[in-house]
Amino acid sequence: DDLNLTTSSQSHSECMSQEENMVDNEDNDSSLKRIEEETHTSILQHLCRICGVSFKMDQQNRNYPVHGPVDDETQEVLRRREKKATSWPELISKVFKVDVRGDMDTIHPTRFCHNCWTIMHQKFSNTSSEVYFPRNKVVEWKSHSSTCDVCNNSKTWGKRKGGLIQSSLLPKKRKISIEHGKKNKNGNTTSFWKNSKALNQIKSSCKKIHLDANLLVVEYPSDFVKSVTCQVCEHILSDPVQTACKHLFCRSCILKYIKIMGCYCPACRYTCFPTDFTTPVKSYLNILNSLVLKCTVAECDEEVTLGKYSHHISKHKEIKGKE
């Protein structure tokens, strides 16, 4: 009996010891996991929410909160472009097409870098500069795991072979063509594109669909007339678009021009692409649509604003169809 009691006592002690070891191991595992998660969250605070680049790459360590109101400088840029956006989540969604409103601090960084801030400014100010996005798309953030890229690459995060970014990935500077224009016999400079056969074809095709500036009822100053006419077809702007160099064209005209002549602005020869086109500000469009024109239909003496012109012409077509 004494022997059985001793054996039972030893077995009980061993079980207790094993349970204590298991509890200790669980505590150690949970403590280690908590430390790893805290380290992960700490690393996230030094990374850009949008592009993932480390703030250490910027010597001035400039960064901005993902959530909250936009800064005064950005607000001024938006005001000049007559755009309404009061918070960073709204602006980030418009420019980078990513919703940050549901972000979690344990998964997503809470700030973004100055480079992404500049990209947003460039988007709304139409300024040409060497701002680039260091990745093909916005970073997709995931919860911490044993194969966590954030923690494993924390020392080299945001870098690539050969430095922060390969020089071949940088966009080329926009250059003005050396052959900006040629002088004629009288010494006047005439751009070569004005005399091109392709441009004349565009102009002749536009006569059928676009309105001539001579239809304007008021005799405006020549500089004003130039500001409301397309610099390709020289007719009143129809569905106007603005290039990055701030010149205005009919959408169809500039697309035809680029297809035939190449990706250059007809006015200044800066590089321009259809993806760079923006709609002019609302105040300009209001002025454009308020211009009063003569009706081109014979025996019609009405004067119609540009905004209502197409509707007025359609009425003439309806009447002609009934007759």
Side-chain angles (χ1 to χ4, degrees), residues 60-71:
Q60 300 179 36
N61 197 28
R62 295 165 294 183
N63 55 80
Y64 310 85
V66 170
H67 303 281
V70 298
D71 59 344

Side-chain angles (χ1 to χ4, degrees), residues 125-246:
S125 61
N126 288 333
T127 55
S128 56
S129 62
E130 284 193 29
V131 179
Y132 60 90
F133 193 63
R135 295 175 181 273
N136 294 329
K137 59 181 180 178
V138 175
V139 177
E140 294 181 6
W141 301 95
K142 298 179 181 178
S143 302
H144 175 69
S145 64
S146 57
T147 58
C148 178
D149 291 333
V150 173
C151 297
N152 293 336
N153 300 327
S154 61
K155 293 182 180 180
T156 58
W157 191 265
K159 292 184 179 180
R160 295 187 183 181
K161 291 180 180 179
L164 175 63
I165 199 99
Q166 292 179 12
S167 59
S168 60
L169 297 175
L170 291 174
K172 295 180 180 179
K173 283 186 178 180
R174 296 182 174 185
K175 297 180 180 179
I176 302 176
S177 174
I178 296 172
E179 190 181 0
H180 185 73
K182 294 180 180 179
K183 289 187 177 181
N184 57 21
K185 293 180 181 179
N186 298 325
N188 299 323
T189 303
T190 55
S191 300
F192 71 92
W193 57 269
K194 287 189 176 180
N195 300 321
S196 69
K197 185 178 179 180
L199 194 68
N200 291 330
Q201 290 176 351
I202 295 173
K203 285 183 180 180
S204 60
S205 64
C206 283
K207 286 181 181 179
K208 301 174 184 178
I209 54 175
H210 294 164
L211 299 169
D212 195 282
N214 293 328
L215 294 174
L216 290 168
V217 173
V218 180
E219 291 186 9
Y220 292 106
S222 58
D223 287 341
F224 178 81
V225 174
K226 187 177 179 181
S227 70
V228 295
T229 52
C230 173
Q231 296 191 48
V232 171
C233 70
E234 296 178 355
H235 293 94
I236 296 173
L237 286 163
S238 172
D239 188 16
V241 292
Q242 182 174 303
T243 60
C245 47
K246 300 189 184 298

Side-chain angles (χ1 to χ4, degrees), residues 308-320:
K308 298 179 180 178
Y309 197 88
S310 59
H311 179 68
H312 177 77
I313 294 297
S314 64
K315 282 186 177 180
H316 282 297
K317 290 181 178 178
E318 285 178 10
I319 294 169
K320 189 176 179 180

